[in-house]
Amino acid sequence: MQKKIMTEIPFNEMHRLISDIFVQIKGMRIRHYQNPEEVNVVFREGEESYNYLKEHKTEQNKLLFNVHQALFSLDEEDRKLIIGEFYETKPLWWMNYYSRSTYYRKQRKAMRLFLYFYGCSV
């Protein structure tokens, strides 16, 4: 996606796009319960998880690989925001870290960057 387009995407649309990606990932964890490490590897940084996802070329692992690439292209705070909002989904988890306005500002930035990097890896 071009930079101009990324700044024009409304918040609700960005949220929906990222939610859809993580809904697919959560569904994989349920379907592949016999090997939960296959999904959880996407949230671990390092060469081992990168190589695992790259070598196991299934349709599902392509999605996991792209999400892994996007997540670990973000800085640690942005990655924490994306994982906290879309994967762990604990209600109001952010209140111990941010004020409401700061959270929404940082969340919007993290979502834009995530979608940018996800689009680059697809």
Side-chain angles (χ1 to χ4, degrees), residues 5-90:
I5 294 171
M6 290 302 296
T7 59
E8 294 174 359
I9 296 177
F11 178 85
N12 291 340
E13 181 67 14
M14 286 191 297
H15 198 279
R16 187 190 61 74
L17 289 169
I18 298 172
S19 290
D20 290 348
I21 292 167
F22 281 91
V23 163
Q24 291 177 33
I25 289 175
K26 289 177 185 178
M28 281 183 226
R29 185 166 57 174
I30 293 166
R31 282 196 300 267
H32 293 284
Y33 186 73
Q34 67 274 11
N35 187 8
E37 286 303 305
E38 198 166 296
V39 172
N40 293 332
V41 75
V42 77
F43 300 106
R44 286 198 300 256
E45 188 172 18
E47 195 171 327
E48 181 182 322
S49 56
Y50 173 85
N51 287 337
Y52 176 86
L53 291 169
K54 192 172 181 180
E55 289 170 10
H56 294 80
K57 297 196 186 240
T58 65
E59 278 301 311
Q60 292 172 338
N61 275 357
K62 286 180 188 176
L63 173 67
L64 294 177
F65 180 76
N66 293 337
V67 170
H68 181 272
Q69 290 295 93
L71 283 174
F72 288 99
S73 296
L74 300 173
D75 65 29
E76 188 174 337
E77 184 176 41
D78 291 337
R79 185 168 48 250
K80 179 176 76 171
L81 284 161
I82 295 295
I83 292 171
E85 180 68 22
F86 297 100
Y87 189 72
E88 294 175 356
T89 60
K90 295 176 186 168

